[in-house]
Amino acid sequence: AKAIKLTYANFPPAPTFPCVQMERWKQEVEKRTGGKVTVETYPGGTLLDAKDMMDGVIAGQADIGCLCMSYQPGRFAVTNATSLPLGIPNAKVGSQVLWDLYNKYKPGEFKDVKVLTMFATAPSNIMSRKAIRTLDNVKGCDLRASGGAAEILKAWGANQVGMPMSDTPEALQKGTVQGLFSSVEVMKDFKFAEQCKFVTLTDTVIYPFAVVMNKAKWDSLPADVQKVMEDLAAEQCVWTGEYMDNHCAEAIDWSKKEQQVEVITLSAAEKAKWDESLAPITAAWIAANTAKGLPAAQIVADIKASIAAHAAK
Ligand code: DTR
């Protein structure tokens, strides 16, 4: 049989978690297909950039692409509902909740691709140049976030600045932003700890990711190869969630020990204030998306039930 070569595009640099999971998927596919398939990986936006990922894969510029759905909130309304403040406790649960949701709704925005897997980051925390200890400290602070996480920052009164993660190192360097709101593994992987000496633990929303394949390319694959990839989908989702959770813990340890970062835990009374300001977000999302014809209340109910089911495991 002729060897099958697939290209796989990713937007952030090679050491970051979207690329780590990409290399793991490549290895597993090459192994499980007995070398019938080889995957050529392109980290760092060398083949497709963050915002071109979905359309680039649809157009066949890459066979496979990894995208952060938060960077196009309107395009991926159903799956981005996992970025509402609904209490996803970690990346492993978040990844499974996202995968359940995708499989239940199979939203139309994915009709032109084959979805190979999905996964989520760990819940977001604030990484900043200045100490943020109270809700008042956040007000007016220039912080970078996208999608659902951006809505959270706005509710807290931050000056939210939107951009993909891959543009953030330069924005921090230039002082366009004073910090960011994301999962904390980036403190180590992007060396943000060299500039952001404070982490405020808010443990709020996750960012959802998808890995998609060009539809015609998928259709051209032999059934046994398709089966290997389909069997890997849920496993890859859980693997990535676990990797992310472990890596966030390592990054926090490293930041404290090697970079003298202070990790700020909010008091229960203070945290209650932060959470209270998020209360209207979900209701507003349900109203807006019901108006657009989505079963929005059901989607939120499904996410809550799925969190409870996976968190209990
Ligand atoms: N939190 C999202 C996604 C994200 C988290 N870690 C990384 C690393 C590399 C790229 C994207 C992400 C974000 O802030 O964009």
Side-chain angles (χ1 to χ4, degrees):
K2 220 169 89 221
I4 299 163
K5 216 164 70 180
L6 299 173
T7 57
Y8 189 152
N10 219 326
F11 64 96
T16 63
F17 95 97
C19 294
V20 172
Q21 74 74 36
M22 167 170 78
E23 294 301 329
R24 190 265 174 181
W25 188 88
K26 162 193 160 82
Q27 260 181 15
E28 290 301 319
V29 167
E30 289 179 352
K31 191 169 78 195
R32 295 179 193 197
T33 58
K36 195 167 177 178
V37 174
T38 47
V39 182
E40 244 169 42
T41 56
Y42 293 84
T46 45
L47 189 54
L48 285 171
D49 226 333
K51 290 194 173 170
D52 302 326
M53 199 56 78
M54 185 73 171
D55 290 324
V57 169
I58 291 171
Q61 290 168 268
D63 298 325
I64 304 169
C66 173
L67 64 136
C68 181
M69 294 184 275
S70 316
Y71 303 162
Q72 292 173 293
R75 184 171 192 172
F76 302 108
V78 175
T79 44
N80 272 320
T82 55
S83 285
L84 290 166
L86 298 173
I88 289 177
N90 54 48
K92 185 178 176 187
V93 169
S95 296
Q96 294 174 93
V97 168
L98 174 63
W99 190 234
D100 282 356
L101 190 73
Y102 168 72
N103 282 302
K104 172 164 179 186
Y105 288 94
K106 295 268 165 76
E109 49 273 23
F110 296 100
K111 71 175 174 14
D112 296 327
V113 292
K114 168 69 184 177
V115 176
L116 293 176
T117 192
M118 288 193 180
F119 48 82
T121 64
S124 300
N125 294 305
I126 299 175
M127 296 158 256
S128 51
R129 289 179 183 276
K130 65 166 199 177
I132 295 180
R133 300 182 195 281
T134 65
L135 203 44
D136 274 347
N137 296 154
V138 191
K139 306 249 179 281
C141 191
D142 300 321
L143 296 174
R144 174 267 152 195
S146 293
E151 298 307 311
I152 304 271
L153 282 186
K154 285 184 211 160
W156 287 334
N159 181 26
Q160 175 268 327
V161 185
M163 69 184 77
M165 182 61 87
S166 30
D167 295 342
T168 307
E170 194 184 328
L172 264 176
Q173 204 83 33
K174 286 191 174 154
T176 320
V177 295
Q178 294 303 306
L180 70 154
F181 185 50
S182 173
S183 47
V184 293
E185 93 293 349
V186 293
M187 288 290 276
K188 186 169 186 203
D189 293 348
F190 280 94
K191 303 281 181 289
F192 289 153
E194 289 173 0
Q195 296 170 70
C196 298
K197 293 299 177 190
F198 300 91
V199 173
T200 305
L201 296 179
T202 63
D203 285 328
T204 43
V205 292
I206 59 98
Y207 284 71
F209 281 70
V211 179
V212 297
M213 187 188 279
N214 176 275
K215 196 64 187 284
K217 182 57 88 168
W218 171 259
D219 291 338
S220 78
L221 295 176
D224 58 333
V225 169
Q226 289 184 340
K227 179 164 180 349
V228 164
M229 292 180 185
E230 282 187 326
D231 288 349
L232 190 53
E235 185 192 316
Q236 181 74 13
C237 154
V238 171
W239 186 92
T240 306
E242 281 177 346
Y243 170 81
M244 169 50 94
D245 287 327
N246 293 332
H247 199 46
C248 282
E250 276 166 22
I252 283 288
D253 279 351
W254 177 85
S255 299
K256 287 198 237 178
K257 285 199 195 106
E258 306 289 327
Q259 293 288 334
Q260 292 72 52
V261 167
E262 184 189 347
V263 177
I264 299 165
T265 306
L266 302 171
S267 68
E270 185 64 29
K271 181 76 161 76
K273 278 198 254 171
W274 292 56
D275 288 346
E276 199 182 317
S277 46
L278 303 184
I281 291 180
T282 301
W285 183 88
I286 291 176
N289 285 281
T290 304
K292 286 182 195 157
L294 281 183
Q298 186 58 47
I299 289 171
V300 168
D302 287 338
I303 293 173
K304 287 183 179 167
S306 180
I307 295 172
H310 289 295
K313 275 185 210 151

